[in-house]
Amino acid sequence: RLQEKIKDVFRNLSGSGKISEKNIEDGIREIKLALLEADVNYKVVKEFVDEIKRESIGQKVISNVNPVDLFYKIVYEKIKEYLGPENKGFDIKPGKTNIVMLVGLQGSGKTTTAAKLAYFFKDKASPLIVGADIYRPAAKEQLRNLAVSNNFAFYTEDKDPVTICKNAINYAKKNLHNLVILDTAGRLHIDNELMKELVDIKKAVLPDYIFFVADAMVGQSIVDVAKSFDEHLDINGVILTKFDSDAKGGATLSIKKVTGKSISFIGVGEKIQDFEVFYPERIASRLIG
Amino acid sequence: NLFKSDITEEIIEKIEEDLILSDVSVDTTLKIIKRFREERKKNSREPIEIFKNIIEEIMPDNNLKIEKGRLNIIFVFGVNGVGKTTTIAKLAKFYKDQGFSITLAAADTYRSGAVDQISVWAERVGVHLVKHEGKSKPSAVIFDAIDSAIARERDLLIVDTAGRLHNRENLIQELEKLNKILKTKAQDAYKYNLLVLDATTGQNALQQAKTFSEHIGIDGIFLSKIDSTAKGGIAITIANELKIPVVFVGTGEKLDDIEDFDKKDFVESIFE
Ligand SMILES: Nc1nc2c(ncn2[C@@H]2O[C@H](COP(=O)(O)OP(=O)(O)OP(=O)(O)O)[C@@H](O)[C@H]2O)c(=O)[nH]1
Ligand SMILES: Nc1nc2c(ncn2[C@@H]2O[C@H](COP(=O)(O)OP(=O)(O)OP(=O)(O)O)[C@@H](O)[C@H]2O)c(=O)[nH]1
Ligand SMILES: [Mg+2]
Ligand SMILES: [Mg+2]
């Protein structure tokens, strides 16, 4: 396991020695392998280990400090640095209609998350869930069922997504819902027409919060996907779903590093309560044990 | 000759990066590079051609034998959101166009809107769907679907199941039970266990494949969403470690967005 491998690397480093380029090389390699196996993006890993190397070399190994712990601490701190400070997430602002928009690739968990968000804020707000996916068979039914079985108001109509969202905001105001959650259809970041549709929705309703919803099991390509969604929409935060899988979730590091946007929430199951605020420390230990 | 070996090292580094960025595991990438170095000694072909050959050899051949004149059952499973239900619609159209008589089983009785979703697809393709209204169990739907397919002398029964994470023991046990029902109740049928894998998935795909393989066995893989920018290198890792073939790929959200898996095309796309 990683901790034992790092121990072996520093076995020969005695007290009052320094961490040198030579003995760090193997430790760096082990970290590199662990991060790649955790799906952290290749280019992000390269940057990460270069910085670890620079910060570790020349560090004095004081006689009562275990070099393994020292190296580990540097790595741990670097992961926390890459993930950014704890994210306050999103808060309901009083006296206005708070509008949240969910976007992402096909099957990432947006529709389920729409219901979870409503549930998460049910005591702080009166949610209106909006079905703006007009493409996927029975997408509106899926969301309507989730809304109805959890006693949430639901809005949709037989129009295009921009119109649905605009009318939903008016409906919310009339019916005193101060939190509107817009569920959109899954799409590829390279589908120009569908990306434009998201931009049109944004322009029409000016959401307070746009969340990029991503699957925690996603691989190397998520960096390009996240960048593209961010460039088109200037997203406010990220929601990582299926965190209850045994995926190490390296996407968290890559997405944050490349877009600067933080993970606000994680989905930890299929039920409406399976939703939590994200804390960076959880990923650090998951990534490197 | 020294100059030539320098070029080769550069090429190896570039290939290593390509493979990792394609979601091939570090382990499989290193194995491929090791094979390349051995091949390179006795083979003066272009390095990239040697790499392509090595990878093509890793990927097993198509083993799917759907034939008329008997009941064929495709049992479809995989983790949440990978494209199982949409894939079943595509498979139904694919085989209907070849003259197969088909029944679909709506055995995802759990997720909101799941039965509605497959109902829309069944209607669009024009195939019979066995489903239960209201609360029901997957085993009950499968029982009825097998009876129905046999009574109507169908050539093909495709079974949809709920998405499930491989680390959810109770859900895997449920899948084992459904697999057993299919084996025992339709003993004379040709049964094919099809894992649907999302091409955008990272290294977790190997764990998914290992778990499903250990518990119910996987005959082949449907690699969905290769129209995304992900390369689907997970298929190479799984081929290398578990010897399971990819038989189809999903290239979009419409009924015709399905293609037979072509090793050459796949390997070409990894390196473009
Ligand atoms: N285990 C687990 N499953 C989840 C989680 N979030 C969503 N799912 C499941 O993932 C699958 C896909 O969820 P959807 O909400 O339909 O995904 P979507 O992004 O709306 O899909 P499209 O609209 O087709 O793009 C469903 O089976 C959900 O139950 C999660 O946090 N954990
Ligand atoms: N781009 C693309 N999208 C796909 C492909 N296959 C399926 N999808 C989309 O992926 C999303 C999820 O598809 P589903 O068929 O509902 O997936 P599923 O595995 O049945 O999901 P659960 O039953 O909830 O586990 C839908 O938006 C599909 O349109 C594909 O090959 N390419
Ligand atoms: Mg949806
Ligand atoms: Mg499904």
Side-chain angles (χ1 to χ4, degrees):
Chain A
R1 291 232 359 259
L2 187 64
Q3 205 138 15
E4 279 111 52
K5 291 183 189 161
I6 302 289
K7 275 208 183 77
D8 289 344
V9 167
F10 290 110
R11 193 186 299 281
N12 304 317
L13 197 69
S14 53
S16 86
K18 274 197 195 160
I19 297 186
S20 75
E21 176 126 19
K22 200 163 194 310
N23 54 41
I24 206 83
E25 214 54 58
D26 288 340
I28 292 286
R29 185 165 180 278
E30 294 300 335
I31 295 293
K32 185 174 175 198
L33 290 179
L35 293 177
L36 284 177
E37 281 169 17
D39 291 318
V40 180
N41 184 266
Y42 191 72
K43 303 196 166 86
V44 174
V45 172
K46 271 199 184 161
E47 205 169 326
F48 187 96
V49 301
D50 284 345
E51 291 177 24
I52 295 287
K53 205 169 178 178
R54 259 183 287 129
E55 290 173 27
S56 313
I57 290 176
Q59 287 263 352
K60 273 209 164 53
V61 183
I62 311 159
S63 52
N64 61 352
V65 172
N66 183 340
V68 180
D69 293 343
L70 179 60
F71 184 69
Y72 234 80
K73 181 158 186 301
I74 293 173
V75 174
Y76 211 83
E77 289 304 314
K78 181 62 61 179
I79 290 177
K80 303 246 301 280
E81 174 198 323
Y82 267 45
L83 283 172
E86 216 168 272
N87 184 7
K88 279 272 305 315
F90 138 79
D91 256 325
I92 307 285
K93 296 200 185 70
K96 72 186 297 277
T97 308
N98 295 264
I99 304 172
V100 175
M101 184 178 170
L102 302 182
V103 303
L105 294 175
Q106 292 89 346
S108 61
K110 298 174 292 302
T111 303
T112 312
T113 298
K116 289 177 177 179
L117 266 173
Y119 189 83
F120 191 81
F121 287 106
K122 65 175 167 33
D123 297 330
K124 290 191 185 160
S126 170
L128 175 69
I129 299 177
V130 181
D133 177 354
I134 64 171
Y135 309 104
R136 170 172 154 157
K140 291 175 179 177
E141 280 76 2
Q142 178 187 8
L143 191 52
R144 177 182 281 114
N145 290 347
L146 285 173
V148 164
S149 56
N150 290 287
N151 291 316
F152 293 123
F154 174 72
Y155 185 91
T156 195
E157 56 180 316
D158 202 358
K159 299 259 160 64
D160 65 278
V162 177
T163 306
I164 293 172
C165 293
K166 274 208 235 133
N167 292 348
I169 307 304
N170 292 333
Y171 179 89
K173 294 195 161 114
K174 282 206 192 79
N175 292 277
L176 308 179
H177 294 292
N178 61 344
L179 172 61
V180 178
I181 303 169
L182 308 171
D183 180 26
T184 66
R187 67 205 63 214
L188 297 181
H189 56 301
I190 51 175
D191 187 327
N192 293 326
E193 229 181 272
L194 285 182
M195 291 306 285
K196 174 167 187 308
E197 177 185 278
L198 291 181
V199 175
D200 290 344
I201 294 175
K202 177 179 179 175
K203 285 193 184 136
V205 304
L206 301 175
D208 299 281
Y209 242 82
I210 301 180
F211 284 112
F212 173 62
V213 180
D215 188 323
M217 305 180 271
V218 82
Q220 295 284 318
S221 68
I222 199 62
V223 157
D224 290 338
V225 178
K227 250 202 222 153
S228 178
F229 273 91
D230 191 35
E231 281 165 5
H232 279 89
L233 301 167
D234 187 16
I235 64 180
N236 300 82
V238 180
I239 297 178
L240 222 55
T241 64
K242 308 175 205 173
F243 213 75
D244 47 315
S245 69
D246 55 4
K248 305 253 175 58
T252 45
L253 219 62
S254 311
I255 294 175
K256 169 72 183 173
K257 183 69 180 150
V258 163
T259 65
K261 307 296 162 83
S262 305
I263 316 288
S264 309
F265 297 103
I266 51 173
V268 291
E270 295 192 73
K271 302 199 293 299
I272 202 151
Q273 307 94 332
D274 297 332
F275 195 65
E276 300 171 5
V277 172
F278 175 71
Y279 293 106
E281 302 88 63
R282 289 185 68 157
I283 263 291
S285 44
R286 191 161 162 144
L287 277 175
I288 59 168
Chain B
N1 216 356
L2 211 69
F3 179 71
K4 190 157 192 247
S5 72
D6 264 352
I7 300 276
T8 306
E9 277 313 308
E10 256 190 57
I11 291 179
I12 291 178
E13 264 195 51
K14 176 77 178 48
I15 298 283
E16 179 183 91
E17 180 168 323
D18 280 351
L19 293 177
I20 299 285
L21 285 173
S22 301
D23 289 313
V24 179
S25 72
V26 170
D27 206 55
T28 300
T29 299
L30 294 177
K31 284 205 176 83
I32 291 172
I33 291 177
K34 184 161 179 282
R35 273 291 314 277
F36 169 80
R37 290 190 194 282
E38 295 165 1
E39 278 301 309
R40 189 77 178 119
K41 295 198 181 106
K42 37 183 158 139
N43 195 334
S44 62
R45 277 169 41 241
E46 282 294 324
I48 190 79
E49 291 307 316
I50 299 177
F51 271 113
K52 285 184 187 173
N53 252 43
I54 291 172
I55 298 176
E56 280 177 31
E57 281 176 19
I58 289 175
M59 318 228 39
D61 292 334
N62 190 322
N63 61 355
L64 185 57
K65 309 242 179 305
I66 303 292
E67 294 163 7
K68 290 192 192 134
R70 65 175 181 195
L71 176 60
N72 301 270
I73 302 179
I74 302 179
F75 185 40
V76 180
F77 48 89
V79 303
N80 307 69
V82 295
K84 299 176 291 301
T85 305
T86 312
T87 293
I88 287 169
K90 294 173 183 176
L91 287 170
K93 173 128 198 325
F94 181 84
Y95 285 108
K96 181 170 190 236
D97 288 349
Q98 293 178 29
F100 283 79
S101 134
I102 304 173
T103 290
L104 302 185
D108 176 356
T109 56
Y110 170 73
R111 206 207 68 209
S112 166
V115 177
D116 294 316
Q117 182 185 11
I118 195 171
S119 297
V120 172
W121 280 123
E123 193 167 328
R124 282 190 196 173
V125 178
V127 290
H128 182 235
L129 172 71
V130 170
K131 62 178 174 181
H132 288 181
E133 300 295 345
K135 213 167 187 314
S136 176
K137 297 181 27 219
S139 49
V141 176
I142 288 178
F143 262 104
D144 286 356
I146 295 173
D147 282 340
S148 169
I150 291 176
R152 296 173 190 230
E153 296 190 341
R154 302 285 192 207
D155 311 298
L156 178 60
L157 166 64
I158 312 179
V159 180
D160 192 11
T161 58
R164 70 201 65 223
L165 291 183
H166 52 290
N167 56 327
R168 287 286 308 274
E169 222 179 297
N170 60 329
L171 299 182
I172 295 298
Q173 281 178 8
E174 175 187 84
L175 200 66
E176 285 178 316
K177 175 164 152 228
L178 300 180
N179 187 51
K180 202 161 191 187
I181 293 173
L182 286 169
K183 283 205 299 198
T184 53
K185 186 159 167 61
Q187 290 191 18
D188 302 328
Y190 169 80
K191 179 164 154 295
Y192 193 89
N193 281 9
L194 184 69
L195 171 72
V196 180
L197 268 187
D198 184 330
T200 67
T201 311
Q203 299 313 306
N204 193 255
L206 178 60
Q207 202 46 50
Q208 292 173 26
K210 278 189 178 159
T211 307
F212 285 110
S213 183
E214 276 167 34
H215 287 268
I216 61 165
I218 302 171
D219 293 302
I221 290 169
F222 188 107
L223 190 63
S224 67
K225 309 183 195 173
I226 62 156
D227 48 315
S228 68
T229 54
K231 296 294 181 71
I234 54 177
I236 299 173
T237 298
I238 290 172
N240 184 43
E241 301 221 9
L242 303 175
K243 316 274 184 286
I244 301 171
V246 175
V247 289
F248 288 110
V249 292
T251 59
E253 303 192 68
K254 303 199 290 302
L255 279 176
D256 297 318
D257 293 332
I258 172 176
E259 289 173 22
D260 288 310
F261 181 68
D262 185 304
K263 283 187 210 178
K264 280 217 182 298
D265 289 349
F266 179 70
V267 175
E268 287 288 336
S269 73
I270 298 275
F271 292 122
E272 45 190 40

